[in-house]
Amino acid sequence: MGEGSPEAVLRCEGLRKSYGGLVAVDGVGFHIAPGETYGLLGPNGAGKTTSISMIAGLLERDAGEVMVAGKPLTTRSTDAKRVVGLVPQDIAIYPDLTARENLSFFGRLYGMPKVELKQRVAEVLEIVGLADRAGDRAEEYSGGMKRRLNIGIGLLHRPRLLILDEPTVGVDPQSRNAILESVERLSVEGMAVLYTTHYMEEAERLCDRVAIIDSGKIVAEGTRRELVELVGQHDRVRLTATGDLKAAVDAACAIDGVKGADVIDGGIDFLADRAGDRLIEILTKVGASGVIVSSVRVEEPNLEAVFLHLTGKALRD
Amino acid sequence: MALLRSSLLIARKDITQRIRDRSVFIWGLIAPFGLALIFSFVFNPVSDSEFHAEYVVVNEDGGPVADGFEAALANVEAGGIATIRSVESAEEARRQVEVGSDAFADEQLARADAAFLIPPGFSEGVLAGRGGELTVVGARGSELGAYVARAVAEGFVAELHAVDVAVKTVFPPGVEPTAEQVGALIPAAMAVASPIAVEDISAGTKQLDGTTQMTAGMGVFFVFFTVAFGVSGLLEERQYGTMTRLLAAPIRRESIILGKAITSFVLGVGSLAVLVVASTILLGAEWGDPLGVAVLVVAVVVSAMGVLAIVASVARTQEQAGMFASIVSLVFGLLGGTFFPVDQVGGVLSKVSLIAPHAWFLRGLGDLAGGEVAAIWPSVGALLTFGVVTSAGAWVFLKKAVTP
Ligand SMILES: Nc1ncnc2c1ncn2[C@@H]1O[C@H](COP(=O)(O)OP(=O)(O)OP(=O)(O)O)[C@@H](O)[C@H]1O
Ligand SMILES: [Mg+2]
């Protein structure tokens, strides 16, 4: 889907926001197609929430433009906002209302007709796994349940663009997995998803394309593969092995495409281009030098490494 | 009218919240009614009352605040509505309430409809600003007696509102009026007893009778607090993070402010209206021409909304808004003559009192008691002017408050 494609659900460009002297967002722009999940990956304070707040029309922007489903979106648009769903970073629910009441209130605010709303509320309660607690006040929920309700409100009105701002922070691994799965399902159903996170694993798992954002600027954008190639990172092959490891290293280094090798504790670490293609050759050479291999692991370079390479910083503090 | 539709949705949601957390019942109904009850006995001792309750009080504190509460109870007793007895221990008090709950108990045993428990250290806690807890234990089968006891305690505690004093009610199931039942309970209470006979005050004196004066004073005093709940809902949205969602929703920003205004108006007018009706029937208050009263009630609520909206737009958090609102309401309430008749003091004070909407409201009611509905227009005009000017000021600031 190219830059000029008319069917992009979200298209934003030149977004800029400063707070006093601090430029929080500086020229952010990208586009998302239907069914595509787009990740904004960046550390604390990178400008993810600020970007999203401008895209969703919460925050007045200093410069830039946002088009949602072909319509311009500003803080005052009501039409364009109707097709956007937002899951804020901080839990945003009414504690003294029940899950059902929270959902119904926001559904009505989005103009959903009563009959459809009732059915959809039941559906969303199932999706976020709160159907059996729907009549309890939200203040009685656990943190993870509140998070799930927070997400449910965002997708209630079947938005064409769903924006999730770090929805898994502070959630146990099980709930986290459930959240990631429902995001995957939504994008299969054709929803465009904008997903911010500072967890590299989430961006790698969910997102078709990722933008790496730092200090208010997008420093790189593309599929995972593109990003990795952009910085020329190699795959890593890790062997657990015994025998004359030094000799095996020397033998394997002669293979075309192997960029380096090191003896590590209980095995060997190779760096290689397209390691999968060369794995047989590596194992043959290593075996020939009398080394016994007990396990093999191939690691593609990850976004963490890309981030480090591009910004000179680690993703997490 | 998309604007109005979303405002009404927001207001309905807000009112549901306020009913759930019971704040509107305590500040809007129970507190003013309880205080009016206490004060009205001072002015109008009851002679031939059908309703009479037996209360016991345990003062394990002995400090000045506890003494103040006992003095308030003495007023209630002087009013003839209840007999107050001191007992030694909480156990003994609870036992007497137990007896009061038992319809077949031995006639010889001491019984009580409700007990007030003042715990040790209560005064100290209140005076140190830490707050305290008054417990009211009600007897099963004496709904009205228990309810009046609770109202008396809430009324007293509300006077100490600057510190966090809670009234804990320990009523057996079916006795404590739940938030939803309070509305229904008042008419029920009316049916049981019309306890207080009020001497007729001849019309045309341009003076409210003591009971009405007191109830009106307490009502207008507390309506500022009730309205404050509606207005500070704007800050509550920020505290809950839900402001973000409201801003992301396909509604205009004005409808958020308008929604809060509708909430404040409904809570304010609703609580005053119930107070007017309840005090007329239960306390024999005479408010005067219903239409005139209605106009004054609406006008004073509008003025409260304006000044409290300014307070809310200055405050950064809901707690701060609550504190500012208390200060403003207290100062205006004192100046406006809700606790003592400022205009009888004369001099500068009676002039200064006219900056307070409370004074105009009471003056309007006094004029109405004189018999002429048209006589209230100056007061209504002053209240509405006050309301419009302050609201216009607040609008400018509040638009800035509607941000993530
Ligand atoms: N209301 C504000 N006033 C002043 N500065 C702000 C405000 N909101 C954000 N900032 C600043 O803008 C920068 C970007 O903040 P933002 O919240 O967008 O980061 P983020 O990428 O969402 O971080 P996190 O992962 O911690 O949520 C930060 O330096 C932050 O301090
Ligand atoms: Mg953020």
Side-chain angles (χ1 to χ4, degrees):
Chain A
M1 194 100 15
E3 190 72 44
S5 161
E7 62 258 59
V9 177
L10 170 68
R11 180 186 306 286
C12 59
E13 55 187 46
L15 295 180
R16 211 185 126 81
K17 179 80 190 174
S18 49
Y19 292 108
L22 175 93
V23 183
V25 171
D26 191 4
V28 163
F30 51 87
H31 60 96
I32 310 180
E36 187 179 33
T37 301
Y38 187 90
L40 268 185
L41 178 67
N44 290 141
K48 302 183 294 295
T49 300
T50 308
S51 300
I52 276 181
S53 302
M54 288 188 281
I55 291 169
L58 311 178
L59 199 59
E60 218 65 68
R61 46 188 184 252
D62 296 346
E65 216 173 296
V66 176
M67 301 283 284
V68 173
K71 291 195 189 107
L73 191 153
T74 67
T75 54
R76 306 204 66 83
S77 327
T78 50
D79 264 9
K81 283 184 181 180
R82 204 175 294 277
V83 296
V84 180
L86 176 67
V87 177
Q89 178 169 7
D90 300 316
I91 290 173
I93 56 180
Y94 296 107
D96 34 20
L97 300 185
T98 66
R100 185 173 285 118
E101 287 167 337
N102 268 288
L103 288 165
S104 304
F105 170 67
F106 286 109
R108 302 276 322 264
L109 219 49
Y110 277 85
M112 293 178 75
K114 266 191 182 150
V115 182
E116 185 198 336
L117 179 65
K118 195 156 178 264
Q119 188 191 342
R120 179 65 181 159
V121 165
E123 225 171 275
V124 167
L125 284 168
E126 284 297 333
I127 295 175
V128 298
L130 288 174
D132 53 336
R133 298 289 303 272
D136 294 347
R137 293 188 197 183
E139 64 197 347
E140 294 165 15
Y141 292 170
S142 71
M145 293 165 75
K146 286 180 188 156
R147 280 252 160 235
R148 283 183 274 150
L149 176 58
N150 198 41
I151 294 173
I153 298 171
L155 51 90
L156 180 78
H157 61 285
R158 303 180 200 277
R160 293 180 60 190
L161 171 67
L162 179 63
I163 304 177
L164 299 119
D165 196 359
E166 308 207 30
T168 61
V169 170
V171 168
D172 67 63
Q174 201 185 343
S175 294
R176 182 176 179 172
N177 201 41
I179 290 170
L180 296 185
E181 268 169 20
S182 45
V183 173
E184 282 167 334
R185 224 171 310 129
L186 291 169
S187 93
V188 169
E189 287 165 15
M191 213 178 261
V193 179
L194 173 55
Y195 193 99
T196 83
T197 181
H198 64 270
Y199 294 122
M200 182 219 38
E201 307 86 352
E202 286 185 5
E204 294 201 328
R205 168 169 166 190
L206 287 180
C207 300
D208 301 306
R209 283 187 304 138
V210 173
I212 291 180
I213 180 167
D214 184 46
S215 305
K217 289 194 171 97
I218 291 184
V219 290
E221 184 202 48
T223 63
R224 181 175 175 280
R225 192 83 235 176
E226 283 166 1
L227 285 174
V228 164
E229 276 167 9
L230 197 69
V231 296
Q233 291 278 330
H234 308 296
D235 295 346
R236 185 180 296 275
V237 181
R238 204 157 259 187
L239 303 184
T240 316
T242 50
D244 186 356
L245 301 180
K246 192 81 195 68
V249 163
D250 290 341
C253 272
I255 302 169
D256 192 30
V258 172
K259 299 296 180 196
D262 274 312
V263 174
I264 53 162
D265 189 31
I268 309 174
D269 224 13
F270 293 98
L271 284 179
D273 285 334
R274 306 187 148 278
D277 299 349
R278 313 195 197 288
L279 198 55
I280 303 282
E281 208 179 334
I282 292 173
L283 287 175
T284 314
K285 278 261 161 54
V286 168
S289 55
V291 164
I292 314 279
V293 176
S294 54
S295 82
V296 181
R297 207 166 80 216
V298 180
E299 284 172 5
E300 296 184 359
N302 60 33
L303 294 175
E304 180 91 59
V306 176
F307 188 83
L308 186 66
H309 177 93
L310 288 174
T311 67
K313 291 188 282 197
L315 252 180
R316 278 168 241 179
D317 346 79
Chain B
M1 281 322 285
L3 179 70
L4 195 59
R5 188 187 158 274
S6 35
S7 307
L8 286 172
L9 267 173
I10 293 171
R12 212 181 84 185
K13 185 267 304 170
D14 281 356
I15 292 169
T16 311
Q17 284 179 288
R18 295 291 79 85
I19 289 176
R20 275 220 183 134
D21 67 17
R22 300 188 180 194
S23 51
V24 54
F25 291 104
I26 291 175
W27 292 94
L29 298 179
I30 297 179
F33 193 75
L35 272 187
L37 208 60
I38 293 176
F39 287 140
S40 72
F41 295 131
V42 182
F43 290 87
N44 303 290
V46 188
S47 43
D48 50 355
S49 161
E50 290 171 37
F51 173 82
H52 192 87
E54 293 281 332
Y55 296 146
V56 291
V57 54
V58 186
N59 187 348
E60 293 181 321
D61 174 51
V65 182
D67 290 347
F69 183 58
E70 287 210 284
L73 290 179
N75 279 340
V76 174
E77 179 160 40
I81 198 167
T83 309
I84 315 281
R85 282 178 289 112
S86 285
V87 295
E88 281 308 306
S89 66
E91 287 71 38
E92 172 60 15
R94 285 180 195 273
R95 207 188 49 73
Q96 295 199 14
V97 171
E98 278 292 301
V99 175
S101 299
D102 182 358
F104 304 105
D106 188 341
E107 297 277 319
Q108 304 299 315
L109 291 174
R111 56 173 293 281
D113 295 305
F116 300 97
L117 312 182
I118 312 172
F122 179 72
S123 296
E124 199 196 341
V126 171
L127 295 175
R130 283 194 311 274
E133 188 170 81
L134 257 180
T135 304
V136 182
V137 185
R140 179 174 308 139
S142 338
E143 275 76 6
L144 186 62
Y147 178 68
V148 169
R150 177 198 174 138
V152 166
E154 296 278 9
F156 178 76
V157 163
E159 268 191 295
L160 309 168
H161 68 95
V163 274
D164 177 30
V165 182
V167 172
K168 185 176 152 214
T169 41
V170 187
F171 290 179
V175 169
E176 182 183 11
T178 67
E180 292 75 13
Q181 283 170 335
V182 169
L185 223 155
I186 288 174
M190 296 165 189
V192 178
S194 168
I196 299 140
V198 179
E199 303 114 82
D200 213 11
I201 294 218
S202 55
T205 55
K206 263 201 135 191
Q207 180 78 46
L208 289 171
D209 66 276
T211 304
T212 313
Q213 176 83 31
M214 269 305 147
T215 315
M218 290 303 102
V220 67
F221 179 74
F222 282 104
V223 84
F224 272 64
F225 291 89
T226 309
V227 168
F229 279 113
V231 174
S232 68
L234 207 53
L235 293 146
E236 190 184 76
E237 299 280 2
R238 286 175 91 167
Q239 186 191 326
Y240 289 162
T242 41
M243 181 62 85
T244 310
R245 289 199 189 279
L246 296 180
L247 293 175
I251 59 170
R252 288 175 51 193
R253 294 191 170 194
E254 289 79 4
S255 62
I256 304 173
I257 299 176
L258 196 58
K260 302 297 167 188
I262 295 173
T263 305
S264 312
F265 186 80
V266 169
L267 294 182
V269 170
S271 66
L272 268 182
V274 173
L275 191 69
V276 168
V277 172
S279 64
T280 302
I281 300 172
L282 279 173
L283 302 179
E286 291 178 347
W287 292 79
D289 181 84
L291 185 69
V293 175
V295 171
L296 280 167
V297 162
V298 167
V300 79
V301 168
V302 168
S303 73
M305 284 164 59
V307 66
L308 291 165
I310 289 190
V311 167
S313 62
V314 176
R316 304 191 69 97
T317 64
Q318 206 192 354
E319 286 70 35
Q320 217 176 42
M323 205 172 69
F324 291 174
S326 297
I327 294 169
V328 167
S329 305
L330 190 65
V331 170
F332 273 168
L334 288 173
L335 271 183
T338 59
F339 286 96
F340 60 95
V342 178
D343 48 356
Q344 282 167 29
V345 179
V348 186
L349 196 55
S350 69
K351 295 254 169 8
V352 173
S353 81
L354 294 181
I355 65 160
H358 304 62
W360 288 103
F361 179 69
L362 294 175
R363 172 183 279 222
L365 283 175
D367 293 342
L368 192 64
E372 276 287 315
V373 177
I376 66 172
W377 292 127
S379 304
V380 171
L383 287 170
L384 289 180
T385 308
F386 185 89
V388 168
V389 170
T390 46
S391 299
W395 183 260
V396 178
F397 293 112
L398 281 177
K399 284 191 96 165
K400 285 191 196 133
V402 187
T403 47

